[in-house]
């Protein structure tokens, strides 16, 4: 152990473990307030933890030093390629330019009527039942259907797509690598067939993302994306968009089922929904960390990092840093500067789908509370929060049908 590590608090907290709901946030809060920096010994390589808002923001804004050669401090040796996340510099920018138009505010506005209609359909399926597992029966189905529509694919494919997505994330975060690989192969085969079909019969690339990927050109030589690159982009969008939206919905409705006053505010004032979405993303940042690898020696106000070391950019602790957000553990509508949260990251790798996520979450908050305004957690059984990328494994809700 180096002299610097001996002088720095060492964290033995394994953030891949399960806890009770919000248990990981409590652990993060304690470590952030105990020390500005930690060294974690919970992985083979170990990693330096930046826990406070200003330090985390600087890390995101300095991609030349804090590179995407590592994207998760908890899993630095990537088992699945991610594009464009794992790219840097101009290579990253070129591929972002290909996919950005499909996730722009204008593109999201075009798909909003479908997203609203599909949300209402799913709610109306559940409403007469008087109960559901919100996570399994709504929160994963809804973003999957919207995602398929966004890609120009039939939403009826969600019937088999949802179980694959569940198996991918269940395998990744529970350590069942074979389960994750098998489901990932199914999703890749699915996109392989769709890409080959678009090569034979392309649709309008202005509205069909798979067609755009097939026709896209990049760089001065205007080279097309390879077939494998297109498949990787499609798989990455699946990985990045579905579990995160499902997880965010779970925390929002877990909170609202337990805080009648906050729920009453949204029922009575639907115009407050966009502000509520931002505060929920700040308060429950389910992506609690982004990993980075140091490209060159750097000094961070007392912390010396060498090339090749892994750094944890602590989104979960930064969003609850009282130096930035007063009373950070409290849900507060109208919070000053709430949109400065790091729930979507920052810098050139800021979340591609942040506009879509905001709209999806706002649609659900509005449409659900128009139809099922009063609900409660249906069971006294302990709820479980998955580690790594946080989610509630289930959320049984009930209401008067």
């Amino acid at each position: 152990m180096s002299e610097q590590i001996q002088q720095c608090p060492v964290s033995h907290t394994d953030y891949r473990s399960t806890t009770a709901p919000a248990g990981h946030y409590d652990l993060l809060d304690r470590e952030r307030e105990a020390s500005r920096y930690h060294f974690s010994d919970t992985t083979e390589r170990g990693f330096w933890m930046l826990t406070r808002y200003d330090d985390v923001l600087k890390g995101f804004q300095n991609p030349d030093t804090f590179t995407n050669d590592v994207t998760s401090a908890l899993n630095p040796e990537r088992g699945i390629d991610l594009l464009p996340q794992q790219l840097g510099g101009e290579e990253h920018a070129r591929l972002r330019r290909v996919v950005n138009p499909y996730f722009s505010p204008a593109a999201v506005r075009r798909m909003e009527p479908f997203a609203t209609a599909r949300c209402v359909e799913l709610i109306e399926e559940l409403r007469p039942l008087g109960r559901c597992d919100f996570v399994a029966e709504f929160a994963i189905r809804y973003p999957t259907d919207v995602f398929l529509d966004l890609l120009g694919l039939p939403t009826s494919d969600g019937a088999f797509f949802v179980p694959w997505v569940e198996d991918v994330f269940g395998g990744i975060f529970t350590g069942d690598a074979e389960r994750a690989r098998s489901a990932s192969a199914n999703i890749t085969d699915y996109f392989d067939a769709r890409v080959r079909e678009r090569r034979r019969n392309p649709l309008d690339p202005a509205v069909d993302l798979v067609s755009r990927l097939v026709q896209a050109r990049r760089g001065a030589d205007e080279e097309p994306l390879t077939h494998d690159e297109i498949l990787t982009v499609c798989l990455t969008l699946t990985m990045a968009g579905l579990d995160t939206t499902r997880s965010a919905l779970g925390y929002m409705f877990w909170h609202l089922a337990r805080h009648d006053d906050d729920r009453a505010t949204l029922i009575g004032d639907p115009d407050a929904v966009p502000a509520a979405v931002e505060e929920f993303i700040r308060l429950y940042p389910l992506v609690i960390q982004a990993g980075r690898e140091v490209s060159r020696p750097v000094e961070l106000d007392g912390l010396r990092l060498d090339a090749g070391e892994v750094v944890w950019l602590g989104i979960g602790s930064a969003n609850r840093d009282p130096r930035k957000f007063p009373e950070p553990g409290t849900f507060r509508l109208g919070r000053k500067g709430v949109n400065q949260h790091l729930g979507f990251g920052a810098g050139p790798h800021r979340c591609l789908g942040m506009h879509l996520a905001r709209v999806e979450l706002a649609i659900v908050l509005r449409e659900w509370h128009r139809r099922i305004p009063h609900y409660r957690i249906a069971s006294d059984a302990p709820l479980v929060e998955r580690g790594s990328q946080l989610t509630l494994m289930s959320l049984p809700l009930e209401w008067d049908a």
Side-chain angles (χ1 to χ4, degrees):
M1 182 179 291
S2 73
E3 179 181 349
Q4 183 172 217
I5 295 175
Q6 290 176 338
Q7 295 173 352
C8 184
V10 175
S11 171
H12 306 300
T13 303
D14 189 344
Y15 286 97
R16 295 167 294 191
S17 61
T18 60
T19 69
H24 290 87
Y25 303 126
D26 293 338
L27 295 169
L28 291 165
D29 288 345
R30 286 200 291 271
E31 292 202 322
R32 182 195 58 241
E33 296 311 306
S35 178
R36 182 175 178 180
Y37 310 121
H38 290 78
F39 182 83
S40 174
D41 63 0
T42 59
T43 65
E44 185 175 347
R45 290 179 66 175
F47 52 86
W48 295 97
M49 300 177 69
L50 307 188
T51 63
R52 298 182 182 176
Y53 182 91
D54 288 345
D55 295 325
V56 174
L57 179 61
K58 289 176 184 175
F60 276 121
Q61 292 177 333
N62 190 359
D64 291 337
T65 299
F66 299 97
T67 73
N68 268 38
D69 291 342
V70 165
T71 51
S72 171
L74 294 170
N75 184 26
E77 313 305 328
R78 271 189 293 258
I80 299 176
D81 287 337
L82 299 174
L83 292 175
Q85 280 95 318
Q86 69 190 56
L87 302 177
E90 182 56 28
E91 191 178 14
H92 169 261
R94 282 198 299 267
L95 189 49
R96 283 283 290 233
R97 284 194 289 270
V98 171
V99 295
N100 273 343
Y102 291 85
F103 297 92
S104 68
V108 170
R109 283 193 295 272
R110 285 196 298 270
M111 52 71 62
E112 192 167 349
F114 168 81
T116 301
R118 187 60 183 137
C119 180
V120 171
E121 289 175 358
L122 291 173
I123 295 169
E124 290 298 344
E125 283 182 25
L126 296 171
R127 180 162 65 159
L129 304 179
R131 62 189 300 119
C132 73
D133 182 340
F134 183 79
V135 168
E137 297 179 73
F138 181 87
I140 190 60
R141 292 179 63 197
Y142 174 62
T144 300
D145 288 352
V146 173
F147 170 77
L148 290 170
D149 183 73
L150 183 70
L151 266 62
L153 301 170
T155 56
S156 58
D157 288 357
F160 50 83
F161 208 86
V162 166
W164 291 343
V165 171
E166 292 281 30
D167 284 348
V168 167
F169 290 108
I172 289 173
F173 295 119
T174 62
D176 189 344
E178 182 55 38
R179 176 184 173 194
R181 275 194 296 270
S182 176
S184 178
N186 285 334
I187 294 173
T188 300
D189 289 345
Y190 172 89
F191 283 121
D192 177 75
R194 294 338 177 257
V195 171
R196 294 181 188 279
E197 169 62 23
R198 292 298 189 268
R199 290 190 190 280
R200 294 190 297 268
N201 301 296
L203 301 179
D204 182 357
V207 296
D208 183 76
L209 178 57
V210 177
S211 295
R212 179 172 173 84
L213 291 172
V214 168
Q215 299 176 29
R217 299 295 182 268
R218 60 180 177 182
D221 297 332
E222 294 195 339
E223 293 182 358
L225 300 178
T226 68
H227 188 75
D228 285 346
E229 285 176 330
I230 293 173
L231 296 182
T232 299
V233 170
C234 292
L235 181 60
T236 300
L237 295 176
T238 304
M239 299 284 289
L242 302 188
D243 187 63
T244 50
T245 305
R246 179 261 299 271
S247 301
L249 286 169
Y251 283 102
M252 289 162 56
F253 277 75
W254 173 72
H255 176 100
L256 292 168
R258 298 164 54 253
H259 294 84
D260 293 345
D261 290 346
D262 293 336
R263 190 172 73 253
T265 297
L266 299 185
I267 294 168
D269 184 12
D271 290 341
V273 163
V277 167
E278 293 304 312
E279 178 67 345
F280 276 128
I281 294 170
R282 182 205 66 80
L283 182 60
Y284 301 113
L286 51 109
V287 180
I288 57 173
Q289 57 88 29
R292 295 294 186 263
E293 186 173 82
V294 180
S295 64
R296 53 179 176 252
V298 63
E299 182 87 19
L300 293 178
D301 195 13
L303 178 65
R304 185 183 68 256
L305 300 174
D306 295 324
E309 293 193 293
V310 177
V311 174
W312 155 300
L313 300 181
I315 296 169
S317 53
N319 270 13
R320 290 169 162 245
D321 186 346
R323 299 158 191 80
K324 178 65 178 179
F325 301 107
E327 299 182 48
T330 300
F331 179 84
R332 181 188 298 169
L333 281 175
R335 179 183 292 278
K336 183 178 179 180
V338 66
N339 61 353
Q340 296 174 28
H341 67 74
L342 301 179
F344 295 118
H349 287 92
R350 196 175 190 197
C351 176
L352 175 68
M354 61 184 178
H355 303 301
L356 176 61
R358 285 180 168 119
V359 168
E360 286 181 313
L361 297 175
I363 287 172
V364 174
L365 282 179
R366 281 194 295 265
E367 300 303 330
W368 186 282
H369 290 105
R370 283 173 179 161
R371 292 162 177 81
I372 309 176
H374 304 294
Y375 49 89
R376 54 202 172 267
I377 296 175
S379 172
D380 292 332
L383 300 179
V384 176
E385 177 177 275
R386 185 190 70 198
S388 295
Q389 183 170 290
L390 306 188
T391 194
L392 299 180
M393 302 299 285
S394 68
L395 180 63
L397 296 180
E398 64 182 9
W399 54 90
D400 295 331

